Amino acid sequence: MDGNGVEVRAEYIRRIEIEALWGRKHIVWELRPDVNILSGVNGIGKSTILNRAATALDNMMGIDVNVNNIEGVKLTIFPENATMVHFDVIRSIDRPLFHSSLLEKMADKNVCTELDWQLYRLQRRFLDYQVNIGNRIIELLSSGDEDGQRKAAEVSYPKRRFQDLADELFAETGKKIIRGKNEIVFEQEGEELLPYKLSSGEKQMLVILLTVLVQDKQPCVLLMDEPEVSLHIEWQQRIISIIREMNPHAQIILTTHSPAMIMGGWMDAVTEVSDITVV
């Protein structure tokens, strides 16, 4: 909390520094507040840098964020007096779940892979998100404010936009979100389809869309390791713009091998690992 006892939310990370990566490299990466794309050949350390930053953010949750040199990783945040950093990490590989403890806890036995597990947790966040916006809408409509109805429509718009985007992206296979359900369920040729039954690429896109939606347009750091995996090239070309539309306050930090990811005006957001490395 600040001097007045108010929690201050970080808007973005300004710099990532990693000491002695693999015992020989020092990383200094100056970040933009909007989009940051890390590129480089296989084995040069892109995923390692992203994972080390994610681990440092996770460790920050239990301590003062200003104690920001954790396991050789220093994160400089903005504003400097921020007391909390909200972040999400999206994993792209749809590997089978082998953790017996996770499988035993599953209320839904359809959850079999890592993307399924991400979707399972996002379903819970989606329910919380709907309760929050529902409460806001009720408050606005009952406030007596002449602008209450318009403001209530603005609050409900992001969810409708998310549903429209999902329908548009999955239109070629005839899938549509069932609007009357509290959880995410699709309809295809008259049959209900749980999200765990989607293809790997569709699950991955749904994970991205849901993650950004439930951020509720608040400042948040979004870390993604090679999000192009399993995505059709047209989806690769659109994904950054879609994220920026859904939450313009999200700072995107990602690694990629895909030229399609930087199409649409993101060439100047690309950084080569070699350019931020000091031996």
Side-chain angles (χ1 to χ4, degrees):
M1 298 186 180
D2 65 9
N4 298 316
V6 178
E7 289 189 329
V8 180
R9 186 171 185 155
E11 295 180 24
Y12 59 91
I13 299 173
R14 290 177 50 203
R15 182 187 303 114
I16 297 173
E17 295 181 62
I18 303 176
E19 299 173 2
L21 183 66
W22 298 323
R24 65 184 186 275
K25 293 182 179 180
H26 185 70
I27 302 297
V28 181
W29 189 10
E30 302 288 345
L31 299 175
R32 297 165 30 142
D34 53 359
V35 179
N36 302 272
I37 303 170
L38 192 59
S39 182
V41 299
N42 286 332
I44 201 169
K46 300 184 303 298
S47 296
T48 302
I49 292 168
L50 201 74
N51 290 333
R52 293 282 294 273
T55 299
L57 283 167
D58 196 40
N59 288 338
M60 277 182 173
M61 297 303 98
I63 62 174
D64 184 345
V65 298
N66 295 302
V67 182
N68 58 5
N69 195 330
I70 302 169
E71 297 182 357
V73 181
K74 181 179 180 181
L75 305 179
T76 304
I77 57 178
F78 178 87
E80 293 181 359
N81 67 332
T83 55
M84 57 180 176
V85 183
H86 285 230
F87 72 99
D88 283 301
V89 181
I90 294 177
R91 309 291 183 188
S92 303
I93 304 300
D94 201 20
R95 293 174 292 206
L97 279 177
F98 293 115
H99 304 292
S100 58
S101 59
L102 284 180
L103 292 171
E104 288 170 3
K105 292 177 183 177
M106 285 297 98
D108 193 325
K109 299 306 178 183
N110 292 293
V111 177
C112 301
T113 71
E114 292 191 11
L115 281 176
D116 291 343
W117 173 235
Q118 291 181 75
L119 284 169
Y120 180 82
R121 290 183 298 171
L122 282 165
Q123 290 273 33
R124 312 278 77 76
R125 290 178 65 184
F126 181 60
L127 291 174
D128 291 341
Y129 167 81
Q130 292 182 97
V131 170
N132 289 335
I133 64 170
N135 289 338
R136 270 184 267 161
I137 289 170
I138 291 171
E139 184 178 346
L140 286 166
L141 292 177
S142 59
S143 66
D145 187 338
E146 293 181 358
D147 252 358
Q149 192 164 359
R150 179 186 62 79
K151 291 175 180 176
E154 289 177 355
V155 169
S156 63
Y157 174 76
K159 178 183 172 182
R160 295 198 311 274
R161 179 57 179 152
F162 155 76
Q163 293 167 329
D164 291 343
L165 275 169
D167 288 352
E168 175 194 339
L169 292 165
F170 298 167
E172 193 167 338
T173 55
K175 300 182 183 76
K176 288 187 176 182
I177 287 182
I178 300 176
R179 305 289 172 119
K181 299 273 188 180
N182 288 327
E183 293 190 338
I184 302 297
V185 181
F186 288 86
E187 182 273 332
Q188 184 182 34
E189 298 179 354
E191 300 288 336
E192 289 192 4
L193 187 70
L194 294 174
Y196 314 117
K197 300 300 182 183
L198 299 175
S199 70
S200 292
E202 289 171 328
K203 288 180 192 177
Q204 189 176 326
M205 179 58 79
L206 184 59
V207 164
I208 293 170
L209 295 177
L210 262 177
T211 298
V212 180
L213 173 69
V214 299
Q215 290 170 353
D216 201 13
K217 292 199 171 184
Q218 297 299 307
C220 187
V221 178
L222 180 61
L223 299 146
M224 299 188 291
D225 189 18
E226 298 185 13
E228 72 272 12
V229 175
S230 299
L231 295 187
H232 187 277
I233 189 168
E234 291 182 4
W235 289 5
Q236 294 179 32
Q237 292 170 351
R238 293 185 60 188
I239 190 59
I240 293 177
S241 296
I242 286 174
I243 293 170
R244 294 291 299 160
E245 176 195 343
M246 292 181 67
N247 186 3
H249 304 295
Q251 180 188 36
I252 302 170
I253 304 174
L254 65 87
T255 70
T256 187
H257 288 289
S258 171
M261 289 289 297
I262 63 176
M263 292 180 180
W266 302 112
M267 181 67 74
D268 60 348
V270 177
T271 298
E272 293 287 333
V273 174
S274 57
D275 292 335
I276 59 174
T277 304
V278 178
V279 179

PDB file of all heavy atoms in Angstrom, residues 155-181:
ATOM      1  N   VAL A 155     -20.721  -1.500 -19.835  1.00  0.00           N
ATOM      2  CA  VAL A 155     -20.165  -2.530 -18.954  1.00  0.00           C
ATOM      3  C   VAL A 155     -20.381  -3.919 -19.540  1.00  0.00           C
ATOM      4  O   VAL A 155     -19.510  -4.794 -19.441  1.00  0.00           O
ATOM      5  CB  VAL A 155     -20.801  -2.423 -17.546  1.00  0.00           C
ATOM      6  CG1 VAL A 155     -20.448  -3.640 -16.693  1.00  0.00           C
ATOM      7  CG2 VAL A 155     -20.348  -1.146 -16.848  1.00  0.00           C
ATOM      8  N   SER A 156     -21.518  -4.144 -20.166  1.00  0.00           N
ATOM      9  CA  SER A 156     -21.830  -5.474 -20.703  1.00  0.00           C
ATOM     10  C   SER A 156     -21.214  -5.724 -22.080  1.00  0.00           C
ATOM     11  O   SER A 156     -21.153  -6.871 -22.532  1.00  0.00           O
ATOM     12  CB  SER A 156     -23.344  -5.671 -20.787  1.00  0.00           C
ATOM     13  OG  SER A 156     -23.931  -4.733 -21.689  1.00  0.00           O
ATOM     14  N   TYR A 157     -20.738  -4.656 -22.741  1.00  0.00           N
ATOM     15  CA  TYR A 157     -20.228  -4.806 -24.117  1.00  0.00           C
ATOM     16  C   TYR A 157     -19.041  -5.760 -24.238  1.00  0.00           C
ATOM     17  O   TYR A 157     -19.013  -6.587 -25.170  1.00  0.00           O
ATOM     18  CB  TYR A 157     -19.852  -3.435 -24.690  1.00  0.00           C
ATOM     19  CG  TYR A 157     -19.189  -3.531 -26.047  1.00  0.00           C
ATOM     20  CD1 TYR A 157     -19.933  -3.786 -27.193  1.00  0.00           C
ATOM     21  CD2 TYR A 157     -17.802  -3.401 -26.180  1.00  0.00           C
ATOM     22  CE1 TYR A 157     -19.329  -3.905 -28.439  1.00  0.00           C
ATOM     23  CE2 TYR A 157     -17.187  -3.531 -27.410  1.00  0.00           C
ATOM     24  CZ  TYR A 157     -17.953  -3.775 -28.534  1.00  0.00           C
ATOM     25  OH  TYR A 157     -17.339  -3.908 -29.757  1.00  0.00           O
ATOM     26  N   PRO A 158     -18.009  -5.704 -23.372  1.00  0.00           N
ATOM     27  CA  PRO A 158     -16.857  -6.602 -23.556  1.00  0.00           C
ATOM     28  C   PRO A 158     -17.228  -8.085 -23.613  1.00  0.00           C
ATOM     29  O   PRO A 158     -16.651  -8.843 -24.395  1.00  0.00           O
ATOM     30  CB  PRO A 158     -15.966  -6.284 -22.348  1.00  0.00           C
ATOM     31  CG  PRO A 158     -16.298  -4.878 -22.005  1.00  0.00           C
ATOM     32  CD  PRO A 158     -17.769  -4.760 -22.257  1.00  0.00           C
ATOM     33  N   LYS A 159     -18.188  -8.511 -22.792  1.00  0.00           N
ATOM     34  CA  LYS A 159     -18.603  -9.920 -22.834  1.00  0.00           C
ATOM     35  C   LYS A 159     -19.252 -10.244 -24.179  1.00  0.00           C
ATOM     36  O   LYS A 159     -18.972 -11.293 -24.769  1.00  0.00           O
ATOM     37  CB  LYS A 159     -19.577 -10.211 -21.684  1.00  0.00           C
ATOM     38  CG  LYS A 159     -20.092 -11.642 -21.689  1.00  0.00           C
ATOM     39  CD  LYS A 159     -21.116 -11.881 -20.589  1.00  0.00           C
ATOM     40  CE  LYS A 159     -21.770 -13.232 -20.725  1.00  0.00           C
ATOM     41  NZ  LYS A 159     -22.816 -13.459 -19.689  1.00  0.00           N
ATOM     42  N   ARG A 160     -20.128  -9.350 -24.657  1.00  0.00           N
ATOM     43  CA  ARG A 160     -20.759  -9.591 -25.967  1.00  0.00           C
ATOM     44  C   ARG A 160     -19.721  -9.613 -27.069  1.00  0.00           C
ATOM     45  O   ARG A 160     -19.789 -10.435 -27.990  1.00  0.00           O
ATOM     46  CB  ARG A 160     -21.806  -8.509 -26.261  1.00  0.00           C
ATOM     47  CG  ARG A 160     -22.993  -8.502 -25.327  1.00  0.00           C
ATOM     48  CD  ARG A 160     -24.162  -7.738 -25.920  1.00  0.00           C
ATOM     49  NE  ARG A 160     -23.776  -6.424 -26.424  1.00  0.00           N
ATOM     50  CZ  ARG A 160     -23.726  -5.325 -25.672  1.00  0.00           C
ATOM     51  NH1 ARG A 160     -24.022  -5.401 -24.376  1.00  0.00           N
ATOM     52  NH2 ARG A 160     -23.386  -4.162 -26.186  1.00  0.00           N
ATOM     53  N   ARG A 161     -18.730  -8.730 -26.976  1.00  0.00           N
ATOM     54  CA  ARG A 161     -17.678  -8.677 -27.992  1.00  0.00           C
ATOM     55  C   ARG A 161     -16.853  -9.961 -27.977  1.00  0.00           C
ATOM     56  O   ARG A 161     -16.486 -10.492 -29.028  1.00  0.00           O
ATOM     57  CB  ARG A 161     -16.784  -7.460 -27.760  1.00  0.00           C
ATOM     58  CG  ARG A 161     -15.636  -7.312 -28.753  1.00  0.00           C
ATOM     59  CD  ARG A 161     -16.129  -7.241 -30.180  1.00  0.00           C
ATOM     60  NE  ARG A 161     -15.026  -7.085 -31.123  1.00  0.00           N
ATOM     61  CZ  ARG A 161     -15.053  -7.509 -32.387  1.00  0.00           C
ATOM     62  NH1 ARG A 161     -16.124  -8.140 -32.853  1.00  0.00           N
ATOM     63  NH2 ARG A 161     -14.022  -7.324 -33.172  1.00  0.00           N
ATOM     64  N   PHE A 162     -16.555 -10.466 -26.785  1.00  0.00           N
ATOM     65  CA  PHE A 162     -15.853 -11.741 -26.661  1.00  0.00           C
ATOM     66  C   PHE A 162     -16.637 -12.865 -27.337  1.00  0.00           C
ATOM     67  O   PHE A 162     -16.080 -13.672 -28.085  1.00  0.00           O
ATOM     68  CB  PHE A 162     -15.636 -12.057 -25.180  1.00  0.00           C
ATOM     69  CG  PHE A 162     -15.485 -13.519 -24.871  1.00  0.00           C
ATOM     70  CD1 PHE A 162     -14.304 -14.184 -25.150  1.00  0.00           C
ATOM     71  CD2 PHE A 162     -16.542 -14.229 -24.308  1.00  0.00           C
ATOM     72  CE1 PHE A 162     -14.165 -15.545 -24.877  1.00  0.00           C
ATOM     73  CE2 PHE A 162     -16.411 -15.573 -24.021  1.00  0.00           C
ATOM     74  CZ  PHE A 162     -15.223 -16.231 -24.313  1.00  0.00           C
ATOM     75  N   GLN A 163     -17.938 -12.921 -27.084  1.00  0.00           N
ATOM     76  CA  GLN A 163     -18.771 -13.959 -27.679  1.00  0.00           C
ATOM     77  C   GLN A 163     -18.820 -13.824 -29.203  1.00  0.00           C
ATOM     78  O   GLN A 163     -18.725 -14.828 -29.930  1.00  0.00           O
ATOM     79  CB  GLN A 163     -20.185 -13.890 -27.089  1.00  0.00           C
ATOM     80  CG  GLN A 163     -20.238 -14.252 -25.610  1.00  0.00           C
ATOM     81  CD  GLN A 163     -21.558 -13.897 -24.962  1.00  0.00           C
ATOM     82  OE1 GLN A 163     -22.223 -12.932 -25.356  1.00  0.00           O
ATOM     83  NE2 GLN A 163     -21.957 -14.662 -23.951  1.00  0.00           N
ATOM     84  N   ASP A 164     -18.942 -12.589 -29.679  1.00  0.00           N
ATOM     85  CA  ASP A 164     -18.968 -12.355 -31.126  1.00  0.00           C
ATOM     86  C   ASP A 164     -17.646 -12.764 -31.778  1.00  0.00           C
ATOM     87  O   ASP A 164     -17.630 -13.355 -32.870  1.00  0.00           O
ATOM     88  CB  ASP A 164     -19.257 -10.883 -31.429  1.00  0.00           C
ATOM     89  CG  ASP A 164     -20.684 -10.476 -31.077  1.00  0.00           C
ATOM     90  OD1 ASP A 164     -21.532 -11.372 -30.905  1.00  0.00           O
ATOM     91  OD2 ASP A 164     -20.936  -9.259 -30.960  1.00  0.00           O
ATOM     92  N   LEU A 165     -16.532 -12.442 -31.119  1.00  0.00           N
ATOM     93  CA  LEU A 165     -15.215 -12.807 -31.654  1.00  0.00           C
ATOM     94  C   LEU A 165     -15.057 -14.323 -31.734  1.00  0.00           C
ATOM     95  O   LEU A 165     -14.567 -14.861 -32.730  1.00  0.00           O
ATOM     96  CB  LEU A 165     -14.110 -12.218 -30.780  1.00  0.00           C
ATOM     97  CG  LEU A 165     -13.684 -10.782 -31.070  1.00  0.00           C
ATOM     98  CD1 LEU A 165     -12.786 -10.270 -29.951  1.00  0.00           C
ATOM     99  CD2 LEU A 165     -12.966 -10.680 -32.409  1.00  0.00           C
ATOM    100  N   ALA A 166     -15.466 -15.029 -30.674  1.00  0.00           N
ATOM    101  CA  ALA A 166     -15.366 -16.485 -30.671  1.00  0.00           C
ATOM    102  C   ALA A 166     -16.214 -17.077 -31.794  1.00  0.00           C
ATOM    103  O   ALA A 166     -15.768 -17.971 -32.527  1.00  0.00           O
ATOM    104  CB  ALA A 166     -15.798 -17.045 -29.315  1.00  0.00           C
ATOM    105  N   ASP A 167     -17.437 -16.573 -31.961  1.00  0.00           N
ATOM    106  CA  ASP A 167     -18.303 -17.070 -33.037  1.00  0.00           C
ATOM    107  C   ASP A 167     -17.674 -16.824 -34.402  1.00  0.00           C
ATOM    108  O   ASP A 167     -17.704 -17.684 -35.295  1.00  0.00           O
ATOM    109  CB  ASP A 167     -19.670 -16.380 -32.976  1.00  0.00           C
ATOM    110  CG  ASP A 167     -20.512 -16.852 -31.799  1.00  0.00           C
ATOM    111  OD1 ASP A 167     -20.099 -17.824 -31.128  1.00  0.00           O
ATOM    112  OD2 ASP A 167     -21.571 -16.255 -31.556  1.00  0.00           O
ATOM    113  N   GLU A 168     -17.095 -15.626 -34.560  1.00  0.00           N
ATOM    114  CA  GLU A 168     -16.464 -15.279 -35.838  1.00  0.00           C
ATOM    115  C   GLU A 168     -15.257 -16.164 -36.134  1.00  0.00           C
ATOM    116  O   GLU A 168     -15.103 -16.689 -37.245  1.00  0.00           O
ATOM    117  CB  GLU A 168     -16.029 -13.810 -35.796  1.00  0.00           C
ATOM    118  CG  GLU A 168     -15.249 -13.343 -37.014  1.00  0.00           C
ATOM    119  CD  GLU A 168     -14.563 -12.006 -36.791  1.00  0.00           C
ATOM    120  OE1 GLU A 168     -14.984 -11.243 -35.896  1.00  0.00           O
ATOM    121  OE2 GLU A 168     -13.586 -11.728 -37.514  1.00  0.00           O
ATOM    122  N   LEU A 169     -14.408 -16.364 -35.144  1.00  0.00           N
ATOM    123  CA  LEU A 169     -13.186 -17.136 -35.345  1.00  0.00           C
ATOM    124  C   LEU A 169     -13.476 -18.620 -35.592  1.00  0.00           C
ATOM    125  O   LEU A 169     -12.742 -19.285 -36.327  1.00  0.00           O
ATOM    126  CB  LEU A 169     -12.264 -16.973 -34.137  1.00  0.00           C
ATOM    127  CG  LEU A 169     -11.659 -15.573 -33.959  1.00  0.00           C
ATOM    128  CD1 LEU A 169     -11.070 -15.419 -32.560  1.00  0.00           C
ATOM    129  CD2 LEU A 169     -10.597 -15.290 -35.007  1.00  0.00           C
ATOM    130  N   PHE A 170     -14.539 -19.141 -34.967  1.00  0.00           N
ATOM    131  CA  PHE A 170     -14.868 -20.559 -35.097  1.00  0.00           C
ATOM    132  C   PHE A 170     -15.962 -20.820 -36.130  1.00  0.00           C
ATOM    133  O   PHE A 170     -16.458 -21.943 -36.239  1.00  0.00           O
ATOM    134  CB  PHE A 170     -15.317 -21.123 -33.741  1.00  0.00           C
ATOM    135  CG  PHE A 170     -14.276 -21.058 -32.656  1.00  0.00           C
ATOM    136  CD1 PHE A 170     -14.620 -21.281 -31.337  1.00  0.00           C
ATOM    137  CD2 PHE A 170     -12.949 -20.758 -32.933  1.00  0.00           C
ATOM    138  CE1 PHE A 170     -13.668 -21.234 -30.315  1.00  0.00           C
ATOM    139  CE2 PHE A 170     -11.988 -20.698 -31.935  1.00  0.00           C
ATOM    140  CZ  PHE A 170     -12.350 -20.927 -30.631  1.00  0.00           C
ATOM    141  N   ALA A 171     -16.314 -19.786 -36.899  1.00  0.00           N
ATOM    142  CA  ALA A 171     -17.451 -19.900 -37.825  1.00  0.00           C
ATOM    143  C   ALA A 171     -17.240 -20.968 -38.890  1.00  0.00           C
ATOM    144  O   ALA A 171     -18.193 -21.640 -39.304  1.00  0.00           O
ATOM    145  CB  ALA A 171     -17.715 -18.544 -38.497  1.00  0.00           C
ATOM    146  N   GLU A 172     -15.991 -21.150 -39.334  1.00  0.00           N
ATOM    147  CA  GLU A 172     -15.738 -22.096 -40.428  1.00  0.00           C
ATOM    148  C   GLU A 172     -16.106 -23.531 -40.049  1.00  0.00           C
ATOM    149  O   GLU A 172     -16.464 -24.330 -40.909  1.00  0.00           O
ATOM    150  CB  GLU A 172     -14.267 -22.026 -40.848  1.00  0.00           C
ATOM    151  CG  GLU A 172     -13.993 -22.728 -42.169  1.00  0.00           C
ATOM    152  CD  GLU A 172     -12.622 -22.392 -42.726  1.00  0.00           C
ATOM    153  OE1 GLU A 172     -12.068 -21.342 -42.358  1.00  0.00           O
ATOM    154  OE2 GLU A 172     -12.127 -23.193 -43.535  1.00  0.00           O
ATOM    155  N   THR A 173     -16.046 -23.847 -38.755  1.00  0.00           N
ATOM    156  CA  THR A 173     -16.423 -25.194 -38.311  1.00  0.00           C
ATOM    157  C   THR A 173     -17.823 -25.217 -37.691  1.00  0.00           C
ATOM    158  O   THR A 173     -18.230 -26.234 -37.105  1.00  0.00           O
ATOM    159  CB  THR A 173     -15.411 -25.737 -37.282  1.00  0.00           C
ATOM    160  OG1 THR A 173     -15.297 -24.813 -36.189  1.00  0.00           O
ATOM    161  CG2 THR A 173     -14.043 -25.919 -37.935  1.00  0.00           C
ATOM    162  N   GLY A 174     -18.537 -24.105 -37.826  1.00  0.00           N
ATOM    163  CA  GLY A 174     -19.935 -24.077 -37.400  1.00  0.00           C
ATOM    164  C   GLY A 174     -20.157 -24.040 -35.902  1.00  0.00           C
ATOM    165  O   GLY A 174     -21.246 -24.388 -35.432  1.00  0.00           O
ATOM    166  N   LYS A 175     -19.177 -23.606 -35.131  1.00  0.00           N
ATOM    167  CA  LYS A 175     -19.319 -23.562 -33.670  1.00  0.00           C
ATOM    168  C   LYS A 175     -19.742 -22.161 -33.230  1.00  0.00           C
ATOM    169  O   LYS A 175     -19.210 -21.159 -33.713  1.00  0.00           O
ATOM    170  CB  LYS A 175     -18.007 -23.942 -32.977  1.00  0.00           C
ATOM    171  CG  LYS A 175     -17.510 -25.342 -33.300  1.00  0.00           C
ATOM    172  CD  LYS A 175     -16.224 -25.638 -32.535  1.00  0.00           C
ATOM    173  CE  LYS A 175     -15.667 -26.998 -32.901  1.00  0.00           C
ATOM    174  NZ  LYS A 175     -15.007 -26.993 -34.227  1.00  0.00           N
ATOM    175  N   LYS A 176     -20.679 -22.109 -32.269  1.00  0.00           N
ATOM    176  CA  LYS A 176     -21.116 -20.848 -31.687  1.00  0.00           C
ATOM    177  C   LYS A 176     -21.255 -21.011 -30.182  1.00  0.00           C
ATOM    178  O   LYS A 176     -21.681 -22.060 -29.701  1.00  0.00           O
ATOM    179  CB  LYS A 176     -22.461 -20.406 -32.268  1.00  0.00           C
ATOM    180  CG  LYS A 176     -22.396 -19.929 -33.705  1.00  0.00           C
ATOM    181  CD  LYS A 176     -23.738 -19.356 -34.136  1.00  0.00           C
ATOM    182  CE  LYS A 176     -23.671 -18.777 -35.547  1.00  0.00           C
ATOM    183  NZ  LYS A 176     -24.958 -18.171 -35.946  1.00  0.00           N
ATOM    184  N   ILE A 177     -20.904 -19.950 -29.451  1.00  0.00           N
ATOM    185  CA  ILE A 177     -21.106 -19.964 -28.003  1.00  0.00           C
ATOM    186  C   ILE A 177     -22.593 -19.883 -27.697  1.00  0.00           C
ATOM    187  O   ILE A 177     -23.320 -19.078 -28.284  1.00  0.00           O
ATOM    188  CB  ILE A 177     -20.355 -18.799 -27.331  1.00  0.00           C
ATOM    189  CG1 ILE A 177     -18.843 -19.061 -27.334  1.00  0.00           C
ATOM    190  CG2 ILE A 177     -20.825 -18.585 -25.905  1.00  0.00           C
ATOM    191  CD1 ILE A 177     -18.023 -17.992 -26.652  1.00  0.00           C
ATOM    192  N   ILE A 178     -23.052 -20.710 -26.772  1.00  0.00           N
ATOM    193  CA  ILE A 178     -24.440 -20.640 -26.309  1.00  0.00           C
ATOM    194  C   ILE A 178     -24.550 -19.491 -25.318  1.00  0.00           C
ATOM    195  O   ILE A 178     -23.950 -19.528 -24.238  1.00  0.00           O
ATOM    196  CB  ILE A 178     -24.869 -21.971 -25.655  1.00  0.00           C
ATOM    197  CG1 ILE A 178     -24.742 -23.117 -26.675  1.00  0.00           C
ATOM    198  CG2 ILE A 178     -26.308 -21.870 -25.142  1.00  0.00           C
ATOM    199  CD1 ILE A 178     -25.041 -24.486 -26.106  1.00  0.00           C
ATOM    200  N   ARG A 179     -25.293 -18.471 -25.693  1.00  0.00           N
ATOM    201  CA  ARG A 179     -25.288 -17.213 -24.934  1.00  0.00           C
ATOM    202  C   ARG A 179     -25.974 -17.327 -23.570  1.00  0.00           C
ATOM    203  O   ARG A 179     -25.651 -16.578 -22.663  1.00  0.00           O
ATOM    204  CB  ARG A 179     -25.963 -16.101 -25.744  1.00  0.00           C
ATOM    205  CG  ARG A 179     -25.375 -15.880 -27.143  1.00  0.00           C
ATOM    206  CD  ARG A 179     -24.012 -15.244 -27.090  1.00  0.00           C
ATOM    207  NE  ARG A 179     -23.365 -15.185 -28.387  1.00  0.00           N
ATOM    208  CZ  ARG A 179     -22.990 -14.075 -29.010  1.00  0.00           C
ATOM    209  NH1 ARG A 179     -23.229 -12.905 -28.450  1.00  0.00           N
ATOM    210  NH2 ARG A 179     -22.376 -14.121 -30.179  1.00  0.00           N
ATOM    211  N   GLY A 180     -26.905 -18.247 -23.400  1.00  0.00           N
ATOM    212  CA  GLY A 180     -27.660 -18.300 -22.154  1.00  0.00           C
ATOM    213  C   GLY A 180     -26.994 -19.070 -21.036  1.00  0.00           C
ATOM    214  O   GLY A 180     -27.537 -19.147 -19.927  1.00  0.00           O
ATOM    215  N   LYS A 181     -25.823 -19.639 -21.287  1.00  0.00           N
ATOM    216  CA  LYS A 181     -25.132 -20.440 -20.273  1.00  0.00           C
ATOM    217  C   LYS A 181     -24.213 -19.555 -19.426  1.00  0.00           C
ATOM    218  O   LYS A 181     -23.628 -18.600 -19.914  1.00  0.00           O
ATOM    219  CB  LYS A 181     -24.282 -21.520 -20.944  1.00  0.00           C
ATOM    220  CG  LYS A 181     -25.085 -22.514 -21.792  1.00  0.00           C
ATOM    221  CD  LYS A 181     -25.591 -23.657 -20.949  1.00  0.00           C
ATOM    222  CE  LYS A 181     -26.220 -24.729 -21.817  1.00  0.00           C
ATOM    223  NZ  LYS A 181     -26.731 -25.862 -21.025  1.00  0.00           N
TER     224      LYS A 181
END
